Amino acid sequence: MSELRREPLTGKWTIIAPERSRRRDAFSAKGEKRSRCPFCGGGNGLYEIYKIDGPEGWELKTVPNRYPVLGIEGSLERSGHGLCDRITGIGANEIIIDSPRHGLKAADYTEKELLNLFRAFKARMEDLAKDMRFRYIAAFKSIGEEAGAVIDHPHSQIVALPVIPPSVKKELEASAAYYAEKERCLSCDLLEEEIKSRSRIVFENYDFAALCPYGAAYPFQVSVYPKKHGHSFALCGDGSLKQLADITKEIYSRLASLLNSPAVMTAVSTAPLKDGRPDLKGELSYVESSFHWRMDIRPVITGASCFEWASGMTANPVQPEEAALYLREVAVK
Ligand SMILES: [Zn+2]
Ligand SMILES: [Zn+2]
């Protein structure tokens, strides 16, 4: 069974998952090409957790990950190992097969396929939130090998975690501190400024604004914010999910036209689960008002960087204002 270990010096949790090393391509530099795609058949008889059917058959399926980083069975146990902390590797690891269509690039997704995907994110988040062992539900997708997709069939992942990921924790703390002082949401204030200045805005529709963040870590990284305050992706109505599909399609198409169909990572950043969970430092007290969910989209056009590993910082060669300008003006093919 896997476990979560925390290094006392950095405070970071790592999932130690020895079962994953049984995966055929776990340690090879590049995954071997598979002769048959396991997702074309809709998961080859794996248990269907969630499914969307259409007139021609299945349109989306959610199945358990055959090589999960965390296991769903068992109880959550915490223990100390000297100065280090350990939690049993309890969690959920689901694969969403986004579409029956093999080999889609980001810009090939239809709005309907993206809407199905966002509906699946929401449904799985709502369901997994009922499990009191979980503190956070991560929803993300990689398209293309450079973005970490091992299988060339459009798929996404849902991972329910027994801890709040460090990146979310930092944002939670910053949002809570801002709210405690001003009784306003930090992201709502930032967004208002961005929409006024327009220099980093890429695209807007009725419910969402897409922008290149002021201190973007990666070139052409885009964040999509709901214009109306909301702390949780799972509370998004279906009308908003349609708007999210619309703006995602737009950003994927612009990135493809400008950067020749790069590999793309997409991740939802949403509030940690609150109801019935302990909040020992009080960061979740006003989370409904202080935290603002968003979705980040990052084309993968720079290779691994030793500087990033060595310093925890990145060097972005494209000024976010320029990136936004290029993305605003690119003609979508
Ligand atoms: Zn396939
Ligand atoms: Zn807000």
Side-chain angles (χ1 to χ4, degrees):
M1 187 194 213
S2 64
E3 60 187 33
L4 283 92
R5 294 185 183 183
R6 179 159 61 181
E7 275 292 318
L9 207 52
T10 58
K12 273 191 181 168
W13 289 101
T14 298
I15 302 172
I16 309 289
E19 286 89 350
R20 294 269 291 185
S21 64
R22 291 192 202 115
R23 210 165 109 154
R24 213 165 37 147
D25 48 17
F27 298 125
S28 62
K30 284 201 166 186
E32 347 162 1
K33 291 285 172 209
R34 290 157 201 263
S35 48
R36 266 188 70 226
C37 169
F39 296 158
C40 273
N44 291 342
L46 280 172
Y47 170 67
E48 287 169 10
I49 299 167
Y50 176 84
K51 189 177 170 196
I52 297 177
D53 282 319
E56 321 248 303
W58 68 274
E59 290 185 350
L60 173 148
K61 272 188 195 185
T62 304
V63 296
N65 191 328
R66 284 185 68 186
Y67 304 98
V69 288
L70 296 162
I72 194 84
E73 305 286 345
S75 59
L76 198 63
E77 280 160 27
R78 295 166 195 277
S79 55
H81 281 220
L83 296 177
C84 305
D85 301 305
R86 176 182 170 275
I87 303 180
T88 43
I90 300 297
N93 199 174
E94 301 177 358
I95 298 276
I96 299 173
I97 307 170
D98 301 344
S99 159
R101 299 198 295 147
H102 187 92
L104 295 189
K105 296 231 163 77
D108 299 329
Y109 274 76
T110 62
E111 253 183 75
K112 178 70 196 330
E113 282 165 333
L114 289 166
L115 175 60
N116 280 347
L117 173 64
F118 297 142
R119 281 176 174 160
F121 278 175
K122 177 184 158 111
R124 295 312 303 142
M125 282 180 180
E126 281 173 342
D127 190 41
L128 289 163
K130 294 176 198 152
D131 191 323
M132 286 299 161
R133 298 171 302 172
F134 303 151
R135 298 280 169 88
Y136 189 79
I137 299 165
F140 54 95
K141 72 183 290 79
S142 305
I143 307 169
E145 212 173 317
E146 297 82 1
V150 180
I151 296 170
D152 194 21
H153 189 114
H155 64 285
S156 307
Q157 291 199 55
I158 295 277
V159 179
L161 294 163
V163 295
I164 300 173
S167 58
V168 179
K169 212 167 171 51
K170 271 197 187 137
E171 291 182 16
L172 190 66
E173 285 164 3
S175 307
Y178 189 87
Y179 189 80
E181 199 177 312
K182 304 176 194 252
E183 287 190 51
R184 296 199 311 264
C185 162
L186 174 56
S187 297
C188 280
D189 282 5
L190 278 174
L191 198 56
E192 201 183 315
E193 286 298 310
E194 291 290 356
I195 289 174
K196 244 189 251 164
S197 108
R198 306 217 68 79
S199 62
R200 284 174 292 273
I201 296 282
V202 175
F203 187 79
E204 280 183 81
N205 64 14
Y206 189 74
D207 281 348
F208 293 91
L211 56 91
C212 295
Y214 177 77
Y218 299 99
F220 300 98
Q221 178 188 330
V222 174
S223 291
V224 179
Y225 283 89
K227 288 183 185 170
K228 201 168 153 228
H229 179 83
H231 71 294
S232 167
F233 179 94
L235 294 178
C236 245
D238 209 51
S240 268
L241 295 182
K242 281 181 188 151
Q243 292 273 306
L244 184 62
D246 167 74
I247 200 164
T248 305
K249 169 86 188 149
E250 191 66 44
I251 300 303
Y252 281 176
S253 303
R254 285 167 189 250
L255 288 171
S257 295
L258 188 67
L259 305 168
N260 196 19
S261 296
V264 176
M265 294 182 183
T266 305
V268 172
S269 167
T270 186
L273 302 174
K274 177 179 174 181
D275 296 338
R277 279 90 173 168
D279 180 23
L280 304 176
K281 291 188 183 161
E283 291 140 355
L284 296 173
S285 307
Y286 303 104
V287 72
E288 298 83 357
S289 307
S290 64
F291 196 88
H292 196 118
W293 77 267
R294 67 164 194 279
M295 193 173 77
D296 293 324
I297 300 173
R298 177 194 154 194
V300 184
I301 51 176
T302 45
S305 149
C306 193
F307 172 64
E308 185 175 346
W309 184 52
S311 65
M313 292 166 67
T314 59
N316 179 351
V318 186
Q319 199 187 37
E321 293 75 18
E322 257 179 41
L325 181 69
Y326 282 130
L327 285 168
R328 269 199 305 273
E329 295 193 344
V330 66
V332 173
K333 284 171 207 156

